[in-house]
Amino acid sequence: MTKISFDIVGFDLDGTFVDTSGDLTDAVNHALADAGRPLLTREQVIPMIGGGAKHMLRQGMEATGGCDDAELNRLHRMLLGHYEAHIAVRSRPFPGAMAALDRLDAMGVKSAIVTNKLEGLARRLLDELDLTRRFACIIGGDTLGPGKSKPNRAPIDAMIAQCGGGRAAFVGDSHFDIDAARNAGIPSVACSFGFMMQPVAELGADAIIDHFDELIPTLARLSA
């Protein structure tokens, strides 16, 4: 059995552990439709995901004609309401994600979620997918207060503390994730199958995986 020396492995949620692109696209389009804007395809929305719901909606509005803060705030509330009510219609873990989690559990490694999604929505999604119990901690974009979401190192530090300390690595799909890990001084793994805002090689991660089957061997190399 492959051995790794990490005590904690953290995961981003959207685009890393769970493919939420279908439900997020539906939520964005629900808000855009109310504003009389053209709807976006899943492929158009994917690069907008990663910085939280308002960041995603702002980009969607800018792509369809611009927006002012008052309209953005109104539509943001509408998006959140729709998304919360339809949070796990099409969202599922990426292929191999559950098997990788099982292997980490078998090795006594604690797994955690650190996301820029609001903590309440992250927990609701994980509850719907029966995954909450699988993670030692869940930290959302609002958990630590304003200005302390990824790429700030604060949520990574909080993850390590809440998991009891030890050597950690972080797995993500965006510059928010990789920069947060770098800022916290821990190794990072980028997922090429995630919601890419840029070519995966440009993220500057310590390693890249194309499928979750590669995660444990990759962590073994990073922990050597």
Side-chain angles (χ1 to χ4, degrees):
M1 183 175 178
T2 305
K3 300 286 187 181
I4 67 173
S5 63
F6 293 112
D7 306 292
I8 305 159
V9 175
F11 297 90
D12 173 52
L13 185 54
D14 300 82
T16 298
F17 202 85
V18 178
D19 183 353
T20 54
S21 58
D23 292 327
L24 288 172
T25 298
D26 291 346
V28 169
N29 282 334
H30 179 75
L32 292 178
D34 186 81
R37 302 295 181 88
L39 304 186
L40 299 175
T41 65
R42 174 180 170 275
E43 288 69 29
Q44 288 174 301
V45 171
I46 281 176
M48 303 175 182
I49 301 169
K54 182 171 280 190
H55 173 84
M56 176 178 65
L57 178 60
R58 184 187 296 277
Q59 291 183 87
M61 294 292 287
E62 289 175 351
T64 56
C67 68
D68 58 54
D69 286 344
E71 185 175 37
L72 179 67
N73 289 335
R74 180 183 72 82
L75 293 173
H76 180 229
R77 291 190 294 272
M78 177 174 290
L79 181 154
L80 291 178
H82 182 275
Y83 183 58
E84 185 173 7
H86 305 84
I87 200 164
V89 175
R90 294 197 275 167
S91 296
R92 298 292 183 272
F94 278 99
M98 296 307 301
L101 196 61
D102 290 341
R103 292 187 67 187
L104 291 172
D105 285 349
M107 289 185 282
V109 178
K110 293 180 179 178
S111 298
I113 291 290
V114 179
T115 175
N116 280 347
K117 197 185 207 75
L118 296 172
E119 181 182 338
L121 290 177
R123 289 185 178 276
R124 184 177 180 89
L125 172 61
L126 292 168
D127 284 346
E128 291 281 342
L129 297 176
D130 193 27
L131 288 174
T132 302
R133 60 189 172 83
R134 300 298 302 272
F135 297 101
C137 73
I138 298 166
I139 298 172
D142 59 335
T143 301
L144 303 178
K148 291 188 177 180
S149 58
K150 298 174 297 182
N152 194 299
R153 67 175 290 165
I156 302 295
D157 292 337
M159 172 192 79
I160 294 170
Q162 290 185 30
C163 288
R167 192 177 184 201
F170 195 71
V171 185
D173 70 311
S174 75
H175 70 88
F176 296 104
D177 306 316
I178 305 309
D179 289 351
R182 183 182 302 111
N183 292 336
I186 68 170
S188 61
V189 178
C191 303
S192 68
F193 50 81
F195 302 160
M196 292 290 109
M197 302 176 187
Q198 63 200 92
V200 67
E202 294 181 5
L203 294 176
D206 295 292
I208 297 170
I209 59 171
D210 299 319
H211 190 283
F212 266 112
D213 289 351
E214 302 168 15
L215 180 61
I216 303 302
T218 299
L219 291 172
R221 289 195 299 273
L222 291 177
S223 65

